[in-house]
Amino acid sequence: GTRPAAFSSFPVLIKLIDAASDLSIQVHPDDRYAMKQEGTSGKTEMWYVIDAEEGASILWGFDHLVTREEVRKAALDGTLESLCNRVPVHKGDVFWINAGTLHAIGGGITLAEIQQNSSLTYRLYDYGRLGTDGKPRELHLEKALDVLKYERPVRRGPIGRKEIHQGYTRTLLGSCHYFTVSEIELTGEYMGLA
């Protein structure tokens, strides 16, 4: 449609992520914080699980209400995972990663990440991995602590019922200010989506 014309750059980015091992524990700021501190937009994203190995899980927010100091200490001493809300995932699951939500994709998960077109990420913990320069990858602990929501997120999505059409079905998975995502399953021959 014509809605992207209102933006200086294409407003949405879609990634296909195939995580062989656990990815870093991170958070994204909202637009207000990102503009003030970084001069760019923040990031809200949605994950659609394409496939997941038996027992695969994500980290999504905190297991219980925590304080900034608890998170700082756990990030520094390597126990951050113990504070996190670990959620088993299955093919077809949907997760909203609103700005401010701690998150990490676990190993054995393939997903589609639909997001604001922003690369702004604050890494809290990275399992001691080294970058291409042989040094530990950069962490952004203080900025991450500034933007974190310190409670467990609320699960939402899919938000629509499956609509049956000639040649396909459509289910609204979610919608926010930045994007709308529907799952479309082809059931036969069709001439185009309504």
Side-chain angles (χ1 to χ4, degrees):
T2 59
R3 287 186 64 198
F7 300 90
S8 59
S9 63
F10 196 75
V12 177
L13 179 63
I14 299 172
K15 298 176 184 174
L16 296 177
I17 300 174
D18 186 0
S21 61
D22 293 346
L23 302 186
S24 63
I25 301 174
Q26 55 188 241
V27 66
H28 308 299
D30 63 17
D31 287 338
R32 184 185 52 75
Y33 185 94
M35 250 335 146
K36 183 177 178 183
Q37 297 297 321
E38 312 285 353
T40 188
S41 65
K43 190 191 307 187
T44 285
E45 58 193 34
M46 189 201 93
W47 293 346
Y48 176 81
V49 179
I50 296 169
D51 202 9
E53 294 177 3
E54 183 80 26
S57 62
I58 63 168
L59 299 181
W60 186 53
F62 294 99
D63 186 55
H64 58 282
L65 187 63
V66 295
T67 66
R68 180 182 179 113
E69 288 312 309
E70 285 176 298
V71 174
R72 174 187 279 111
K73 180 181 181 307
L76 293 173
D77 69 17
T79 62
L80 184 58
E81 283 182 274
S82 69
L83 300 179
C84 296
N85 179 33
R86 182 171 294 279
V87 181
V89 299
H90 305 92
K91 182 177 182 175
D93 284 348
V94 174
F95 294 91
W96 281 89
I97 314 296
N98 292 317
T101 303
L102 173 138
H103 59 281
I105 302 169
I109 298 172
T110 302
L111 58 79
E113 180 178 278
I114 301 90
Q115 63 171 76
Q116 283 179 263
N117 191 354
S118 170
S119 61
L120 191 52
T121 298
Y122 297 148
R123 210 179 281 125
L124 285 100
Y125 185 69
D126 197 33
Y127 308 96
R129 285 188 273 243
L130 304 179
T132 55
D133 60 0
K135 297 177 183 174
R137 295 198 319 165
E138 182 181 6
L139 299 180
H140 316 94
L141 188 55
E142 292 308 314
K143 287 182 179 180
L145 294 171
D146 285 346
V147 302
L148 272 173
K149 294 177 182 171
Y150 291 93
E151 71 276 347
R152 181 186 289 220
V154 176
R155 184 93 186 253
R156 64 179 233 212
I159 63 172
R161 293 183 183 184
K162 185 177 280 191
E163 301 170 2
I164 299 172
H165 300 276
Q166 180 83 27
Y168 70 97
T169 64
R170 178 173 30 200
T171 305
L172 178 62
L173 298 181
S175 185
C176 67
H177 173 72
Y178 307 104
F179 50 82
T180 297
V181 180
S182 292
E183 177 181 48
I184 297 170
E185 294 181 59
L186 301 180
T187 58
E189 188 174 322
Y190 73 101
M191 299 304 294
L193 299 179

